[in-house]
Amino acid sequence: NFSKQGLNPRDSLNNNFGSNILLSYNTHVNEYGNYIGQGLLNTVFMVNPKFLYTINPSINLRLQVEYIYRHQQNAVYTANTSIFSIGLVSGFRNLYRDR
């Protein structure tokens, strides 16, 4: 996945470009003339491959291996994040039937 968005610059504590929903509406930069992506241009690239292996199909028990890689870059900083996880996944379903 790839996206571009506008962030609030770190040095502008009183300016709100809209990327942080926790800031007050009263600190917006412009009343009119706003556009999508204004502020500090930020690009994000994310990859999330996932591998599932069924251990027991009767109870839908699976082994899951997942890797997440996220690269974020703008004019101020660059950040890379990597997460690797292993888990057991089971989907609960109603096996009871009236006969």
Side-chain angles (χ1 to χ4, degrees):
N1 298 332
F2 180 78
S3 69
K4 287 188 176 186
Q5 69 185 62
L7 294 178
N8 292 332
R10 291 186 180 195
D11 58 350
S12 62
L13 298 175
N14 295 326
N15 291 332
N16 182 1
F17 287 95
S19 63
N20 187 349
I21 63 170
L22 300 176
L23 293 179
S24 171
Y25 290 126
N26 298 327
T27 59
H28 59 274
V29 177
N30 300 322
E31 186 70 29
Y32 300 103
N34 295 308
Y35 57 91
I36 295 175
Q38 70 184 14
L40 180 62
L41 182 62
N42 185 48
T43 57
V44 177
F45 173 73
M46 186 168 168
V47 177
N48 185 9
K50 193 182 294 188
F51 173 75
L52 291 148
Y53 176 75
T54 303
I55 297 171
N56 189 345
S58 64
I59 61 171
N60 201 18
L61 183 65
R62 300 172 302 215
L63 176 68
Q64 174 178 317
V65 177
E66 182 177 14
Y67 177 71
I68 300 170
Y69 173 74
R70 184 175 186 268
H71 175 77
Q72 179 179 0
Q73 184 175 6
N74 56 45
V76 178
Y77 64 91
T78 299
N80 291 316
T81 305
S82 294
I83 300 172
F84 180 77
S85 67
I86 299 173
L88 286 174
V89 180
S90 179
F92 296 107
R93 59 184 175 190
N94 188 2
L95 300 174
Y96 175 78
R97 291 187 220 161
D98 285 334
R99 297 189 194 254

